[in-house]
Amino acid sequence: MVVANGDTKTLLRKDQLEESLREEKKLIENGRLKEDNPLDLSEGFRKLCEACRRGDLKSCQEMITDGVNINARDQFDYSPLILASLCGHYEVVRLLLESGALCERDTFQGERCLYNALNNHIRNLLLSYDYSKSTDPLQPFAAHITSLLTRDTPQTSDILVTAVGESFRLHKFILSARSPHFRKKLSAAPESTSWKIPPAIPPQAFGIAIRYVYLGEIPTELGGGAGTGFSEDDIIEGIDKISKHLEIRSLWDAILESDDRRLSRQRRTEEVEKGRSQLEAWFKDNVVRHKVIVDTDKADEVKWDSNNGIFADVLLRADEPVDEDSSDDSPDASIDSPPNTLTNAEPPARTTSGPLNGIPIGPAALPSHTRSKTPRKSTLYPAHRAMLLRSDFFSTMFSSAFREAQQMAHLQIIPIHSCSPRVLEIVLAFLYTEKADFGLDIAVEVLFAADLLFVERLKQKAATVISTLGNGTMPAASDLEVVGRDIQAPQDWEEGDRGDEEEVIDIYEVVRAGWATRVPRLEEFGARYLAYRLEYYIDEEDFADLIRESASRIRGRQETDSIELLDDVRYYLSERFRLRFEEAGLEELMDEGAEELGVKATDVKQEGGAEEDGVRGGFEVRAVPEEVVIETREREEGGENGAVPQHLNGGAIRTLDGEIAGDEFASDAINYQILLGKIDQLLEKLKLDA
């Protein structure tokens, strides 16, 4: 085993390695060290492993959302990442890595992952994820919190803490969320704008403690020595005192374990997760809890004092979508309004008196029953600029000379256009906690909101939700019915249903969203989704419109230019049928399958018996011998005694155009040609050359 030590690497002897492993085992047994890949025999983990074997993206995403440990191992010592890599499911591997799956080259499980990867495509993906990226998905969140200590522009601090010769510009809401001591102190005096640290506490010790509160790493050198006025022992003693005083004992434990790389890394991971959970609790108890719902035409009249008990310094406004059909006739139109809803009865009054310290309070009239329509509502969210800076949109706004960047007696109200309250709350939750749980039904709206506000990580999260939860199954091609020349779905397939997905997506909307927000992942997903379900879409006018739009995306398009979406659909269509042949000479097998039936692709079966040579419907047809037709008809009718052969009990294997195929491979070969032919027909119809 090789151990890194600074810039050098030391090769351990066998006895040293065994001793190291024994010490590690003791630490795990004592609970001081967590195992990277603990054994997990739970039902949820079993389902995750099974989904990774099958390549079921949707189930994997659901299990991860439910909190299943993706770094655990089953009774056979396989982790989900190893299973997905071994079985060749690239998209599942990417999802696991993005969700925090471990793949470190210097560990046993990491090397197993790399060695067992089915192909180089997956192996290169694994290698591209280093420790900080794959095992610490909260690192960007922690880095932002830490950067607030040194950020000069825009200024977001609201309290100044001074020590001996040093000052710290801090944020009340972070101090309240992270330290029980600060929470009590600020509850008693929320208007405080400055504090002084006792001279006995070295400023270096307080600086280390504050950096720890702000999710920063503990420095390797604690400071002290000549010229500082404090020795290193003084600083260590000061850290001990301040950790007790601020009620953050984990700081002292982290100092003691700083020499052990693995313990230190584990301790930091736990502390960042703890900090995220504390800020999440603060967000729910203060931001979400104190949101205000008002009539839209009165939203700008709300006055919220800058000096308030939750330390908010800005209000974000989101309007409900316009509903022209909304009226008093709608059930419970006003019954379920939140208790802090304001109405048209009188202008909203706000005061800073009382225990809420500036949180809006005041009269709220009963809803009027004389209105013909329910008034449109808006939601105001109290927020903190320090967290909004994670969005480049807000960072630019607050760094400018615009009115929104100015501090006033009452909080500035910033409208977020084209963003519903539900979506804005998801965006805020992500900015405050790096966590956003939302379903497929709202994922496209979240995608556009994240694009509008330049929150790249949330945009990628929305794209992941769409491309995983939207990756449901479809009825097999053999379940399709043939009516004349048209390919139709089974009779029990309802209009608008495209399979057995629990949540139906509009794939046209998804593709257009991918174009509008510049997310290649969605473009790839849309092309793959369409290719694997092409028989359902190929004849729709909406599909033709989408192809036309794709062609128009090339400025000054020439006849020789290809159509990007159509190229991708053709590629994934080839992949769809190639996978059925297990990488065994696609074109050769398809040609052989076509020759067995005597066709390359057909679109109608000729009435009467045998078919004749020729071209019909744009497809080349070769004659099928009369005896084959007679034999097939007899088999369908049950033969001489009327008995249906066992392998035909479920119906003969047919191609998309209704012809009988010898087996599934022959059917796939012809179906592939049929779909390619339909693409060519579509291009002729649209007068496009691709």
Side-chain angles (χ1 to χ4, degrees):
M1 179 178 179
V2 178
V3 176
N5 182 16
D7 296 330
T8 63
K9 293 187 177 181
T10 305
L11 183 63
L12 295 181
R13 299 193 310 271
K14 181 180 178 182
D15 61 314
Q16 292 175 318
L17 177 58
E18 291 175 347
E19 179 63 26
S20 175
L21 291 174
R22 280 194 296 269
E23 289 297 324
E24 181 179 306
K25 186 176 180 181
K26 287 181 183 179
L27 289 172
I28 292 174
E29 290 174 350
N30 295 335
R32 291 186 62 199
L33 182 65
K34 288 185 178 180
E35 194 174 358
D36 286 338
N37 302 100
L39 179 65
D40 191 339
L41 302 178
S42 66
E43 180 63 17
F45 185 72
R46 186 196 66 77
K47 290 181 179 178
L48 175 60
C49 289
E50 183 60 33
C52 289
R53 288 188 185 94
R54 297 195 314 267
D56 187 345
L57 268 174
K58 183 177 181 181
S59 296
C60 286
Q61 179 66 59
E62 290 171 347
M63 292 297 102
I64 292 171
T65 302
D66 289 343
V68 175
N69 184 3
I70 59 177
N71 285 313
R73 55 184 170 84
D74 62 14
Q75 65 268 38
F76 305 109
D77 273 350
Y78 283 106
S79 68
L81 187 60
I82 291 177
L83 290 170
S85 302
L86 181 64
C87 297
H89 303 305
Y90 180 88
E91 292 297 329
V92 175
V93 171
R94 183 165 70 170
L95 174 65
L96 292 171
L97 290 172
E98 289 174 349
S99 302
L102 286 164
C103 184
E104 291 188 78
R105 296 196 64 179
D106 294 335
T107 64
F108 176 65
Q109 293 289 2
E111 290 292 350
R112 284 184 72 196
C113 247
L114 292 167
Y115 181 78
N116 289 311
L118 186 65
N119 52 53
N120 286 331
H121 193 38
I122 292 176
R123 189 169 293 109
N124 291 334
L125 176 64
L126 293 169
L127 289 171
S128 68
Y129 274 74
D130 56 20
Y131 164 71
S132 63
K133 188 175 181 182
S134 64
T135 65
D136 197 0
L138 292 178
Q139 181 59 31
F141 171 76
H144 172 76
I145 300 294
T146 306
S147 72
L148 294 175
L149 290 171
T150 55
R151 183 187 288 266
D152 294 325
T153 305
Q155 183 58 250
T156 58
S157 65
D158 51 7
I159 188 168
L160 180 67
V161 180
T162 57
V164 180
E166 291 191 35
S167 59
F168 303 86
R169 295 186 176 277
L170 306 178
H171 304 77
K172 295 178 185 178
F173 80 96
I174 294 179
L175 299 178
S176 295
R178 291 279 287 138
S179 167
H181 168 78
F182 283 131
R183 187 180 310 122
K184 296 171 190 173
K185 194 166 183 176
L186 287 169
S187 282
E191 71 284 353
S192 300
T193 58
S194 64
W195 286 336
K196 285 187 178 182
I197 301 299
I201 301 294
Q204 296 92 332
F206 183 75
I208 291 172
I210 286 299
R211 185 174 176 81
Y212 188 78
V213 167
Y214 275 67
L215 303 181
E217 296 190 48
I218 295 174
T220 54
E221 298 293 335
L222 299 181
T228 64
F230 298 94
S231 67
E232 185 172 343
D233 290 340
D234 291 335
I235 293 175
I236 292 176
E237 185 180 349
I239 292 174
D240 184 26
K241 289 180 181 178
I242 201 98
S243 65
K244 293 176 182 176
H245 189 65
L246 300 182
E247 300 178 53
I248 48 173
R249 288 299 301 172
S250 56
L251 168 60
W252 182 246
D253 295 334
I255 292 288
L256 295 177
E257 296 170 351
S258 58
D259 290 337
D260 189 312
R261 175 178 170 272
R262 188 170 177 186
L263 278 174
S264 179
R265 189 181 72 185
Q266 177 183 298
R267 178 73 63 181
R268 169 160 174 76
T269 301
E270 291 173 349
E271 190 61 32
V272 171
E273 177 58 38
K274 177 183 176 182
R276 189 206 64 78
S277 298
Q278 290 171 328
L279 282 168
E280 180 180 15
W282 170 270
F283 172 75
K284 291 178 179 178
D285 293 342
N286 294 277
V287 175
V288 176
R289 180 184 172 191
H290 292 111
K291 67 183 179 183
V292 178
I293 302 175
V294 299
D295 292 346
T296 298
D297 58 352
K298 300 292 183 181
D300 289 334
E301 299 177 17
V302 172
K303 304 297 181 185
W304 192 320
D305 284 352
S306 296
N307 184 19
N308 56 80
I310 60 175
F311 321 118
D313 53 8
V314 70
L315 290 174
L316 299 186
R317 167 185 163 183
D319 302 332
E320 289 287 356
V322 177
D323 184 3
E324 297 179 355
D325 298 328
S326 177
S327 68
D328 281 351
D329 297 332
S330 60
D332 301 328
S334 301
I335 294 177
D336 295 329
S337 296
N340 55 349
T341 299
L342 308 177
T343 64
N344 293 328
E346 57 182 276
R350 292 293 172 261
T351 176
T352 59
S353 62
L356 296 182
N357 295 294
I359 296 174
I361 58 175
L366 294 174
S368 170
H369 296 285
T370 60
R371 296 191 297 268
S372 59
K373 288 187 178 181
T374 303
R376 188 183 179 194
K377 299 294 182 183
S378 296
T379 303
L380 301 177
Y381 290 91
H384 305 82
R385 299 182 188 220
M387 298 308 296
L388 298 183
L389 293 180
R390 297 191 67 201
S391 156
D392 289 342
F393 174 87
F394 290 115
S395 179
T396 302
M397 174 185 288
F398 297 144
S399 300
S400 69
F402 296 135
R403 178 179 62 85
E404 291 84 355
Q406 310 305 314
Q407 295 287 352
M408 298 184 179
H410 297 97
L411 300 187
Q412 296 269 20
I413 298 177
I414 301 176
I416 308 300
H417 301 292
S418 304
C419 186
S420 68
R422 183 184 175 194
V423 172
L424 180 57
E425 192 165 316
I426 290 171
V427 173
L428 286 173
F430 184 82
L431 294 177
Y432 275 82
T433 69
E434 193 73 16
K435 184 178 179 182
D437 295 327
F438 51 91
L440 192 57
D441 59 321
I442 201 172
V444 174
E445 293 181 60
V446 174
L447 176 77
F448 278 110
D451 185 62
L452 170 71
L453 300 175
F454 296 96
V455 187
E456 190 63 29
R457 287 174 64 83
L458 180 58
K459 189 163 77 168
Q460 295 304 322
K461 167 75 173 175
T464 300
V465 169
I466 294 170
S467 59
T468 52
L469 296 183
N471 196 40
T473 58
M474 287 288 291
S478 57
D479 294 333
L480 298 172
E481 295 177 355
V482 179
V483 178
R485 298 178 55 173
D486 297 327
I487 302 170
Q488 296 186 358
Q491 293 180 354
D492 58 352
W493 185 66
E494 298 180 0
E495 182 68 26
D497 185 15
R498 301 218 175 269
D500 53 6
E501 294 100 334
E502 294 180 1
E503 298 175 277
V504 179
I505 65 172
D506 183 344
I507 193 59
Y508 302 124
E509 180 186 19
V510 169
V511 173
R512 291 185 175 102
W515 289 340
T517 58
R518 305 164 305 285
V519 180
R521 182 174 191 154
L522 285 185
E523 297 180 40
E524 295 171 8
F525 164 71
R528 184 187 296 108
Y529 189 99
L530 289 168
Y532 276 75
R533 300 150 174 81
L534 191 57
E535 53 269 30
Y536 289 88
Y537 292 95
I538 190 67
D539 294 320
E540 291 188 354
E541 189 61 34
D542 288 339
F543 182 78
D545 291 340
L546 195 68
I547 297 300
R548 191 182 290 110
E549 284 183 44
S550 180
S552 66
R553 282 167 51 81
I554 302 177
R555 295 184 179 179
R557 188 174 186 279
Q558 305 297 318
E559 290 185 359
T560 54
D561 289 333
S562 63
I563 300 174
E564 186 177 6
L565 175 61
L566 209 51
D567 288 345
D568 291 342
V569 168
R570 282 174 170 149
Y571 171 79
Y572 289 117
L573 187 66
S574 170
E575 177 187 76
R576 167 186 171 183
F577 288 99
R578 182 173 64 249
L579 292 177
R580 297 273 295 171
F581 292 106
E582 299 178 343
E583 301 179 356
L586 175 66
E587 294 183 0
E588 180 182 347
L589 280 173
M590 287 185 171
D591 289 341
E592 290 176 0
E595 288 175 2
E596 286 183 17
L597 295 182
V599 300
K600 284 187 177 177
T602 58
D603 56 334
V604 221
K605 182 176 180 180
Q606 187 180 22
E607 296 182 4
E611 297 182 351
E612 299 178 355
D613 291 338
V615 176
R616 289 197 305 277
F619 300 108
E620 181 181 346
V621 179
R622 296 208 301 260
V624 177
E626 180 70 26
E627 58 270 19
V628 173
V629 176
I630 295 174
E631 178 185 353
T632 301
R633 186 181 296 119
E634 289 178 350
R635 287 164 60 191
E636 284 188 282
E637 295 173 354
E640 297 178 357
N641 55 8
V644 179
Q646 181 66 28
H647 69 282
L648 291 178
N649 278 341
I653 298 176
R654 294 180 179 272
T655 60
L656 290 173
D657 60 356
E659 294 296 325
I660 296 176
D663 55 34
E664 291 184 6
F665 290 105
S667 172
D668 283 345
I670 295 178
N671 288 341
Y672 178 62
Q673 297 292 341
I674 289 174
L675 292 173
L676 287 180
K678 280 189 167 287
I679 290 176
D680 292 338
Q681 287 180 332
L682 176 62
L683 289 173
E684 292 179 10
K685 174 185 174 182
L686 298 177
K687 294 181 172 54
L688 293 173
D689 187 2

